[in-house]
């Protein structure tokens, strides 16, 4: 069967099913995934192998993996156009990750900011080695599909650089095997910050109740969280890199990422308005984003068998490509082909 997107450049991206997806995941990644799906041959993965780099409760992990896939679709990823799959369904990810792990310099891995952040407050003996090798697995995800573009939030740029470095190293040592991928950051919304702490990226695993807006938050609850968002005492609504103004900047960034309006016209729009107006308008556009997504999500969860059939088709399509690349890498590195 000919694929609709057969000759287009390939895109691959993924999100961990390690928490409830937030508006930050939507504006920083999903929205862009949707926007590019007609232009590229897109593969969108639920990265459960990455999720287990920190402890996960089995039943929760299973539930969140399905939930994440349903959210991809509810956010507008069309399974007729894009390929949606679960990372652990395709053994080639783990297999290539091992090969890449063997080629990844320890120093590079130890210098990754995400690794440093995630392990900063822990004792050596309580840090799983998977956290260190996380970038090699991510490189495998991307390289298996010969992806040319990887749409991610800008906090992932270092991992993309690492992927490129590894690909180059492999190609240099063992011959042309992998396509060099490039990063694709969204124009606005690459980094949505926590509402309660606008100097830290909005995280799906943060405990505090007013930190993140979850995509499945009841709309009234989402409005309340925005109402409680940290602001400042400058009484001035403009984009700013200033730490003291991070709260207002974050609300404006959310507004911009949703409306796609230029910054200047957003600032003009709010020039004679107050923080209360800003919060209300941000809450309105967030509500307009969440409501249709949640309606579609409910339908998907009630449609018995549909989601599983999407993941099955995804597994078949993705598996075929991943297997072919893995085989090439195994041959090039010198593994004896099984007879
Ligand atoms: N590391 C990414 C994140 O935390 C998730 C991820 C895993 C990913 N594999 C990927 C993103 C491959 C893009 C491509 O957001």
């Amino acid at each position: 069967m000919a694929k609709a997107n057969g000759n287009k450049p390939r895109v691959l991206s993924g999100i961990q099913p390690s928490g409830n997806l937030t508006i930050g995941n939507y504006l920083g990644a999903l929205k862009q995934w949707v926007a590019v799906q007609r232009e590229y041959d897109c593969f969108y993965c639920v990265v459960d192998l990455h999720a287990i780099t920190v402890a996960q409760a089995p039943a929760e992990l299973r539930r969140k993996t399905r939930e994440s896939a349903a959210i991809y679709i509810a956010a507008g990823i069309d399974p007729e156009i894009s390929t949606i799959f679960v990372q652990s369904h395709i053994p080639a990810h783990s297999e290539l990750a091992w090969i890449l792990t063997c080629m990844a310099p320890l120093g590079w891995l130890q210098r990754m900011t995400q690794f440093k952040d995630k392990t900063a407050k822990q004792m050596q003996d309580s840090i799983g080695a998977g956290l260190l090798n996380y970038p090699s697995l991510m490189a495998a995800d991307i390289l298996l599909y010969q992806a040319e573009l990887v749409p991610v939030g800008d906090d992932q740029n270092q991992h993309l650089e690492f992927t490129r470095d590894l690909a180059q190293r492999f190609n240099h040592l063992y011959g042309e095997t992998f396509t060099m991928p490039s990063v694709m950051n969204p124009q606005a919304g690459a980094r949505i910050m926590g509402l309660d702490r606008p100097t830290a990226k909005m995280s799906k695993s943060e405990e505090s109740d007013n930190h993140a807006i979850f995509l499945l938050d009841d709309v009234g609850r989402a409005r309340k969280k925005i109402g409680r968002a940290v602001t400042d005492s400058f009484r001035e609504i403009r984009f700013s890199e200033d730490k003291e103004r991070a709260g207002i900047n974050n609300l404006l960034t959310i507004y911009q990422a949703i409306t796609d309006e230029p910054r200047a016209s957003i600032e003009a729009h709010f020039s004679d308005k107050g923080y209360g107006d800003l919060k209300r308008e941000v809450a309105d556009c967030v509500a307009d984003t969440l409501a249709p997504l949640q309606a579609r999500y409910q339908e998907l969860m009630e449609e018995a068998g549909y989601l599983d059939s999407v993941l099955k088709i995804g597994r078949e399509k993705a598996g075929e490509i991943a297997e072919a690349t893995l085989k090439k890498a195994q041959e090039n590195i010198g593994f004896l082909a099984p007879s």
Side-chain angles (χ1 to χ4, degrees):
M1 191 181 68
K3 270 199 303 161
N5 281 343
N7 298 319
K8 298 174 180 170
R10 199 163 283 150
V11 157
L12 179 129
S13 196
I15 299 178
Q16 291 189 44
S18 55
N20 299 319
L21 299 191
T22 70
I23 190 103
N25 295 121
Y26 176 75
L27 297 173
L30 284 168
K31 190 178 177 215
Q32 198 178 24
W33 297 5
V34 174
V36 301
Q37 67 182 337
R38 287 174 194 282
E39 212 174 321
Y40 300 100
D41 183 21
C42 297
F43 285 72
Y44 297 129
C45 179
V46 181
V47 293
D48 54 349
L49 297 174
H50 279 103
I52 63 159
T53 53
V54 296
Q56 302 291 338
E60 282 271 282
L61 178 61
R62 217 173 340 263
R63 180 176 63 77
K64 284 183 176 150
T65 300
R66 280 188 101 244
E67 213 173 89
S68 298
I71 287 179
Y72 288 7
I73 302 170
I77 311 283
D78 182 348
E80 301 282 325
I81 300 175
S82 302
T83 305
I84 300 172
F85 68 102
V86 175
Q87 188 187 28
S88 69
H89 288 179
I90 302 189
H93 288 251
S94 303
E95 296 178 66
L96 183 62
W98 173 251
I99 294 175
L100 296 177
T101 292
C102 294
M103 306 187 46
L106 188 55
W108 293 5
L109 291 168
Q110 285 169 330
R111 281 194 293 275
M112 293 285 133
T113 356
Q114 187 167 308
F115 173 70
K116 289 195 282 187
D117 288 350
K118 285 192 177 172
T119 56
K121 293 179 205 102
Q122 294 184 53
M123 305 286 286
Q124 284 273 323
D125 281 354
S126 60
I127 300 169
L131 271 183
L132 181 69
N133 289 318
Y134 182 111
S136 309
L137 177 60
M138 178 163 162
D141 299 340
I142 296 165
L143 301 178
L144 277 175
Y145 299 89
Q146 309 287 10
E148 287 179 39
L149 287 165
V150 183
V152 280
D154 63 2
D155 63 310
Q156 294 300 310
N157 291 3
Q158 196 185 28
H159 286 156
L160 248 294
E161 270 311 305
F162 173 86
T163 302
R164 292 167 57 85
D165 288 344
L166 269 192
Q168 201 157 32
R169 204 180 163 103
F170 192 105
N171 288 348
H172 176 72
L173 289 170
Y174 302 111
E176 211 46 42
T177 310
F178 300 122
T179 302
M180 283 299 236
S182 299
V183 70
M184 183 195 240
N185 292 139
Q187 285 172 332
R191 198 172 289 195
I192 302 296
M193 314 303 270
L195 295 176
D196 60 340
R197 205 155 40 95
T199 48
K201 190 189 163 193
M202 185 182 283
S203 154
K204 49 175 127 69
S205 39
E206 181 85 25
E207 295 290 322
S208 149
D209 211 36
N210 290 322
H211 175 80
I213 298 170
F214 296 108
L215 292 174
L216 300 180
D217 267 349
D218 168 82
V219 168
R221 189 180 159 88
R223 283 184 180 278
K224 278 210 185 97
K225 289 182 182 176
I226 295 167
R228 293 194 197 112
V230 167
T231 58
D232 54 49
S233 49
F234 297 108
R235 296 172 182 275
E236 202 182 358
I237 303 180
R238 60 175 173 85
F239 288 92
S240 165
E241 297 295 308
D242 185 352
K243 262 196 176 158
E244 314 257 275
R245 299 172 185 255
I248 293 300
N249 187 66
N250 191 36
L251 290 171
L252 286 170
T253 304
I254 294 173
Y255 187 88
Q256 184 194 10
I258 293 178
T259 61
D260 293 314
E261 283 175 34
R263 287 181 169 209
S265 60
I266 294 172
E267 287 176 346
H269 172 77
F270 286 110
S271 63
D272 54 358
K273 297 185 177 168
Y275 287 177
D277 302 309
L278 172 65
K279 284 185 166 178
R280 200 168 330 105
E281 293 197 35
V282 170
D284 287 344
C285 63
V286 167
D288 290 346
T289 304
L290 297 187
L293 186 150
Q294 292 176 0
R296 180 78 184 109
Y297 176 83
Q298 286 313 332
E299 279 171 21
L300 284 165
M301 292 315 255
E302 283 157 21
E303 219 174 312
Y306 175 71
L307 192 60
D308 299 308
S309 77
V310 167
L311 294 178
K312 182 164 182 276
I313 293 168
R315 176 188 177 185
E316 284 162 7
K317 278 201 202 169
E320 211 174 295
I321 296 166
E323 277 301 322
T325 307
L326 176 67
K327 192 156 173 270
K328 189 163 144 193
Q330 288 171 327
E331 265 170 35
N332 290 355
I333 209 169
F335 288 168
L336 176 66
S339 50

